[in-house]
Each structure stands twice: as C-alpha cells, then as structure tokens.
C-alpha cells in the first residue's frame, strides 16, 4: 500500500511549508561518554537557543563547530565528531606539535623529497637553506606542503613527526583524528573532525608564536640558492586566508582544500574581548565565508545561548566511543526543539498540521482506490 509513504511525504511538505521543520539532532547510545559532552554526540545540529537568539546561518558544511577560545564553551555545532578528510587544516596540528620542538632561528637544508612533495608549494628547492621561521611562514601563508614536509624532516623525519602528531592529538583528547602525513594531503586513513580542529586551533592560539604565524598577512621567502659571495634573492608571499584579509577582528587560522576533502576551514576572530573559533568541513571553495557567518552569529548571540558542550576534556575521554561506530538515537522533543531551532510552543501546531495532512492523504488514497463512487468528500 502506498498510503504510509504518502502520509509521510505530505506531513513533511506541510511542516516545511510552515517553516517549522529543521534538522533534528540524533544522540547515540554512547552520548554520556562523548568527548565534549552528550549533546555533541549528534549527527545533526546542536544549539540551545533562547527567544532572543537569531537563527543559525544556513551553511552547506557537512560539519561545523563554533566555540569560545577562552572558556572552551561550544556554542553551536553540526555533526561535530564526524570523521572527515582534513585537507590543509591539519597543518594546525602540525604546528601545535612542532612549534615547541623547533627553534625558529635554526637553519634547515631542504631535500629533494621536500621540494617534490605533492600538492601546494611555497617554493622550497633542494639544497636550499631555510630557517624554521621561513618554513612555518611558508606553511601558514601559502599552505606549502613542501614547507610542512621540511619542518617534519627538521623534527626528525616524516614518520617520526606523524607519530608525534598522533600522540599530540590523543593528548588533547582529539580522538576523531588519525594522521598519515604532516600536510593534510588526502591519504587513506587520514581524518579529523570539526571538533578536533577547534581543539587544535584553541591549543595553538594559546601560543604567541602560533598566533604570529597564523595572523601574518605577508612576508618574504628565500629564493633559489646562489654561489658563495652572491646575494640570495627573496620573493613576497601573501596569506591565502581570506578571513584574515576581510573579516573585522580576524586572527587566523588555516585554510584547506582538496578534491576529496573539499573546502575545510579553521577561523578565529576577536571582538570586544571575546575570541571565537569557527571550524567548517566538507563545504565549497569559499569555506571562509561559512566560518565568517558562524563568527557573526556567535558574536551577536553568544550571550543568549546555553553552551551545548565544551572543548575541555572530561575524565572519561579515554573511554569515549569511536565516532565511526556511534549508532543514531532519536532526540527527545525538548532536545530536538533546541537542536532544530523550533520553539517548544510550536510542537502542538506541528502535531495538528501532521494530523491534517494525514487526513488529506487518506482522502487522496480513497479516491485512488474507489474512483467510481458517486459521492465526494468536501475539501479539507
């Protein structure tokens, strides 16, 4: 029989037409042990709004997190623990891992492998010497995979750096992250989440050197090596971070794009003494715009929302269930109302609309089944 499916379609259409249907959070059974709090176990939208809160912006990102960098409070999120390809936003973890280990004035001689790494490059050449500071600037501003590879080798080699990055992620409670390379380039088994990217950004922004690199708009980078006695040329490099160039109060942090990851972005800004972090994953090439929209919403509404979680790690973090194995569980009406942005007074109206739609669907089905009957029902 077609009537059940017809009923569902009509109910959905009726509620959408009233503007009352929105994504509803689903909570897995392991919500109690979810990193950051049980409301962050959702695959949908999580936000606890008041009547004074404006609606969240419409975003195409498959996953996002908006958090306060100072308090660690998560103000809103969508699928925060969803494991996705990171692209170059993973370089925030590269920086957080390597900044404490490398002296910025140390010189490093680049290898053929550094210069010929796949993907975006700042212009590292084999046998060229660079300071660690040069390489961090090349990694942040141009998102140079060659610079990231060189930094990894300066810290003991790519395999060793990958090991250190995975250990750092675990230390921070970033259990959705697994690192395969230091650049974020697409690789089997390499993934992170919007929540973990927010953790990395918050950890980095607590360091002066990270903030300096992430907030630098332009710098100079060494050119090709020259014979002794000659002056080595330099060239200008400018940040690819359009948030930094266009958003009032922006302080960083990192762009990302690959064919498989699509647009990823980790952005942060400070206004009126409040610093917010907005991470988005798997969106379009203008990912920074979605981060900016979240930041706008956060600065306008932070005082009217109740946090849905925290970037501070609970004691049960080690026992948290892997994100990839979290089964969905329907939210309670109250949780669904908060997560969807539907006020509680609207639920009786939703029920009435659903009943009306079901009645109309039954009429349509009866007309299909008994087309020769002479009587007709009055329109609903």
């Amino acid at each position: 029989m077609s009537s059940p499916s017809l009923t569902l379609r009509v109910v959905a259409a009726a509620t959408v037409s009233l503007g009352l249907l929105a994504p509803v959070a689903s909570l897995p059974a392991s919500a109690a042990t979810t990193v950051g709090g049980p409301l962050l176990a959702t695959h949908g939208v999580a936000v606890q709004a008041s009547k004074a809160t404006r609606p969240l912006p419409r975003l195409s990102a498959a996953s996002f997190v908006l958090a306060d960098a100072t308090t660690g409070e998560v103000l809103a999120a969508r699928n925060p623990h969803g494991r996705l390809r990171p692209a170059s936003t993973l370089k925030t973890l590269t920086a957080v891992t390597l900044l404490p280990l490398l002296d910025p004035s140390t010189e490093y001689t680049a290898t053929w492998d550094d210069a010929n790494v796949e993907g975006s490059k700042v212009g590292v050449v084999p046998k060229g010497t660079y300071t660690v500071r040069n390489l961090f600037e090349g990694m942040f501003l141009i998102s140079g995979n060659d610079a990231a590879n060189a930094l990894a080798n300066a810290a003991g080699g790519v395999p060793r750096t990958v090991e250190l990055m995975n250990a750092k992620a675990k230390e921070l409670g970033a259990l959705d992250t697994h690192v395969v390379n230091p650049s974020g380039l697409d690789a089997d088994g390499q993934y992170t989440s919007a929540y973990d990217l927010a953790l990395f950004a918050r950890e980095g922004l607590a360091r002066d050197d990270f903030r300096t690199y992430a907030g630098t708009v332009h710098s100079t980078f060494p050119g090709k090596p020259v014979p002794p006695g000659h002056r080595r040329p330099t060239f200008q490099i400018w940040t690819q971070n359009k948030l930094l160039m266009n958003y009032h109060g922006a302080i960083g942090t990192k762009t990302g794009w690959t064919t498989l990851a699509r647009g990823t972005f980790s952005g942060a800004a400070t206004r009126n003494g409040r610093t917010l972090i907005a991470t988005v994953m798997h969106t379009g090439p203008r990912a920074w715009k979605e981060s900016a929209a979240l930041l706008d919403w956060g600065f306008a509404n932070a005082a009217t929302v109740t946090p849905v979680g925290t970037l501070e790690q609970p004691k049960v973090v080690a026992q948290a269930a892997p994100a990839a194995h979290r089964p969905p569980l329907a939210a309670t009406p109250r949780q669904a109302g908060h997560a969807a942005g539907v006020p509680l007074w609207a639920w009786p109206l939703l029920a009435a609309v659903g009943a009306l739609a079901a009645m109309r669907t039954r009429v349509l089905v009866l007309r299909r089944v008994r087309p020769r009957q002479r009587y007709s029902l009055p329109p609903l």
Side-chain angles (χ1 to χ4, degrees), residues 27-35 37-39 41:
L27 299 179
S30 60
T33 58
T34 297
V35 177
L39 292 181

Side-chain angles (χ1 to χ4, degrees), residues 219-237:
S219 188
T220 58
F221 197 80
K224 293 182 178 181
V226 294
H230 292 73
R231 185 176 179 180
R232 188 177 180 184
T234 61
F235 57 92
Q236 290 282 313
I237 56 174

Side-chain angles (χ1 to χ4, degrees), residues 18-316:
L18 290 175
L20 297 175
L21 190 66
V24 176
S26 58
L27 299 179
S30 60
T33 58
T34 297
V35 177
L39 292 181
L40 298 185
T42 179
H43 298 288
V45 175
V47 61
Q48 297 192 97
S50 69
K51 291 182 179 179
T53 306
R54 301 175 190 173
L56 278 166
R58 292 189 175 184
L59 305 179
S60 64
S63 179
F64 69 74
V65 164
L66 175 68
D68 188 301
T70 303
T71 65
E73 294 174 339
V74 177
L75 306 180
R78 173 189 289 161
N79 190 24
H81 287 293
R83 293 179 174 182
L84 299 167
R85 296 177 185 268
S88 286
T89 50
L90 189 67
K91 291 184 174 84
T92 54
L93 177 58
T94 308
V96 165
T97 303
L98 298 184
L99 280 169
L101 305 179
L102 299 174
D103 185 328
S105 62
T106 298
E107 287 196 344
Y108 169 78
T109 301
T111 67
W112 180 264
D113 288 340
D114 296 330
N116 288 276
V117 71
E118 189 177 351
S120 58
K121 301 174 185 177
V122 64
V124 169
V125 294
K127 298 183 180 181
T129 57
Y130 305 88
T131 65
V132 165
R133 181 180 290 106
N134 293 149
L135 296 174
F136 273 118
E137 288 179 344
M139 185 178 75
F140 270 95
L141 274 66
I142 304 297
S143 198
N145 293 347
D146 49 357
N149 205 78
L151 285 167
N153 279 325
V158 171
R160 173 59 176 161
T161 296
V162 167
E163 181 182 346
L164 291 172
M165 289 172 69
N166 280 315
K168 187 66 174 181
K170 185 176 180 180
E171 174 192 327
L172 295 175
L175 303 187
D176 303 318
T177 298
H178 185 260
V179 179
V180 175
N181 60 57
S183 67
L185 195 67
D186 290 336
D188 291 342
Q190 179 151 276
Y191 47 80
T192 190
S193 67
Y195 181 88
D196 287 3
L197 289 179
L199 283 176
F200 304 151
R202 187 185 186 211
E203 181 74 8
L205 292 172
R207 296 183 58 94
D208 291 339
D209 47 8
F210 184 102
R211 291 174 69 101
T212 297
Y213 290 127
T216 298
V217 173
H218 66 88
S219 188
T220 58
F221 197 80
K224 293 182 178 181
V226 294
H230 292 73
R231 185 176 179 180
R232 188 177 180 184
T234 61
F235 57 92
Q236 290 282 313
I237 56 174
W238 289 78
T239 183
Q240 294 180 345
N241 188 338
K242 292 186 178 181
L243 185 82
L244 197 59
M245 302 285 284
N246 295 281
Y247 191 82
H248 172 61
I251 57 175
T253 60
K254 193 68 193 70
T255 61
W257 172 270
T258 67
T259 303
L260 297 179
R262 295 182 54 75
T264 64
F265 193 86
S266 172
T270 299
R271 290 184 183 176
N272 300 320
R274 183 190 296 272
T275 298
L276 298 181
I277 297 167
T279 60
V280 298
M281 300 190 74
H282 200 78
T283 183
R286 294 167 65 84
W288 75 273
K289 284 275 192 179
E290 301 210 351
S291 181
L294 279 174
L295 291 170
D296 279 342
W297 182 90
F299 287 122
N301 297 281
T304 70
V305 298
T306 300
V308 293
T310 178
L311 297 181
E312 298 288 353
Q313 302 310 309
K315 293 181 180 179
V316 295

Side-chain angles (χ1 to χ4, degrees), residues 7-25 45 55 58 78 336-337 339-343 346-347 349-351 353-354:
T7 301
L8 289 174
R9 286 197 293 270
V10 173
V11 170
T15 52
V16 168
S17 68
L18 290 175
L20 297 175
L21 190 66
V24 176
V45 175
R58 292 189 175 184
R78 173 189 289 161
V342 179
W347 288 103
L349 181 58
L350 277 173
V353 171

